[in-house]
């Protein structure tokens, strides 16, 4: 959800919210969250960030997010300022690993290239994107352990199924949304198929382009 004013359309297309379906990993080499430091610090937050249409569609935001402004841009920079770890689905990883290593779209390029990226996948990762690791074992078990380790916020970017799985497991702490003033009618919706979930909204901001910037805290 981060862009510069010179590249908004290109970045929104590359960062399209994906309907990743992989939720476990069995590849090698792999990564398993270390539980030895559990309980030594407050739990980290899992933050899922999405562009949405007014009717809740998260898929292909380049089709409904038609305008950009400084406030929308700044919200993305604020989002990643507190994150130091990323969870990705396999489809998002495959799309991003061919783009972000050579991108000059800042500050997201530096952030996502440097951050540890844990990928939910059942097959070995391809390519050589630095700091990328397949998740070993069950996704929810991995994230539950990761939350107990020292560090900043854990971001979910672009992977719809990953967010749905972690919401269902009560592991997402915040939803950071940019809601465009557009109804698209069709497409994958972020919050379909979920059980009732109670949220606490924070004060929202409407940008000059009409985008609604809002954060919902998940009440556990």
């Amino acid at each position: 959800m981060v862009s510069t004013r010179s590249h908004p359309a290109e970045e929104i297309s590359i960062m399209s919210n994906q309907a990743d379906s992989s939720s476990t990993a069995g590849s090698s080499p792999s990564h398993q969250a270390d539980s030895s430091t559990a309980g030594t610090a407050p739990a980290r937050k899992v933050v899922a960030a999405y562009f949405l249409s007014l009717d809740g569609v998260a898929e292909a935001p380049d089709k409904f997010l038609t305008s950009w402004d400084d406030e929308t841009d700044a919200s993305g920079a604020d989002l990643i300022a507190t994150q130091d770890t990323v969870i990705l689905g396999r489809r998002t990883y495959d799309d991003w690993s061919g783009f972000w290593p050579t991108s000059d779209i800042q500050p997201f390029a530096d952030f996502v290239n440097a951050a540890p990226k844990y990928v939910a996948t059942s097959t070995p990762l391809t390519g050589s994107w630095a700091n990328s690791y397949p998740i070993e074992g069950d996704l929810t078990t991995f994230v539950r352990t990761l939350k107990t380790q020292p560090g900043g916020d854990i971001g979910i970017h672009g992977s719809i199924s990953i967010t749905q799985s972690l919401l269902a497991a009560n592991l997402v702490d915040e939803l950071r949304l940019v809601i465009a003033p557009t109804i698209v009618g069709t497409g994958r919706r972020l919050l379909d198929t979920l059980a009732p979930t109670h949220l606490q909204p924070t004060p929202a901001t409407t940008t000059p382009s009409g985008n609604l910037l809002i954060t919902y805290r998940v009440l556990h």
Side-chain angles (χ1 to χ4, degrees):
M1 263 174 53
V2 181
S3 181
T4 63
R5 296 301 297 273
S6 57
H7 299 285
E10 178 186 26
E11 186 198 10
I12 291 167
S13 178
I14 291 297
M15 295 181 66
S16 292
N17 304 327
Q18 300 286 347
D20 288 291
S21 58
S22 299
S23 60
T24 59
S27 52
S28 180
S30 57
H31 198 93
Q32 185 174 16
D34 182 2
S35 61
S36 62
T37 58
T40 61
R44 302 162 74 183
K45 291 191 299 184
V46 173
V47 179
Y50 288 89
F51 300 113
L52 294 184
S53 67
L54 187 60
D55 52 338
V57 172
E59 186 178 13
D62 53 308
K63 295 181 179 179
F64 58 79
L65 192 67
T66 58
S67 58
W68 202 265
D69 50 48
D70 289 337
E71 287 82 349
T72 303
D73 209 40
S75 72
D78 290 343
L79 169 73
I80 62 172
T82 60
Q83 296 182 9
D84 62 9
T85 304
V86 174
I87 304 290
L88 298 175
R90 180 56 188 263
R91 188 183 303 177
T92 302
Y93 170 83
D94 287 342
D95 286 348
W96 287 17
S97 62
F99 178 83
W100 287 111
T102 58
S103 173
D104 62 357
I105 300 175
Q106 300 297 351
F108 195 81
D110 283 351
F111 159 73
V112 77
N113 289 324
K117 294 167 285 292
Y118 299 111
V119 184
T121 180
S122 58
T123 57
L125 297 180
T126 57
S128 57
W129 196 10
N131 307 309
S132 299
Y133 312 96
I135 293 172
E136 180 179 295
D138 176 68
L139 170 67
T140 57
T141 300
F142 177 86
V143 173
R144 187 173 288 110
T145 301
L146 192 62
K147 289 183 67 169
T148 67
Q149 297 178 354
D153 292 347
I154 301 163
I156 310 172
H157 297 270
S159 302
I160 296 172
S161 293
I162 298 298
T163 295
Q164 291 176 337
S165 296
L166 295 180
L167 275 169
N170 201 31
L171 289 171
V172 175
D173 299 289
E174 289 185 358
L175 295 171
R176 302 272 189 97
L177 306 178
V178 176
I179 303 176
T182 308
I183 297 172
V184 292
T186 60
R188 182 79 180 273
R189 287 172 167 80
L190 177 64
L191 304 177
D192 277 354
T193 74
L194 291 170
T197 304
H198 296 289
L199 307 174
Q200 180 183 55
T202 63
T205 300
T206 302
T207 75
S209 297
N211 298 322
L212 181 69
L213 312 179
I214 188 166
T215 296
Y216 287 97
R217 298 188 181 100
V218 181
L219 300 179
H220 298 299

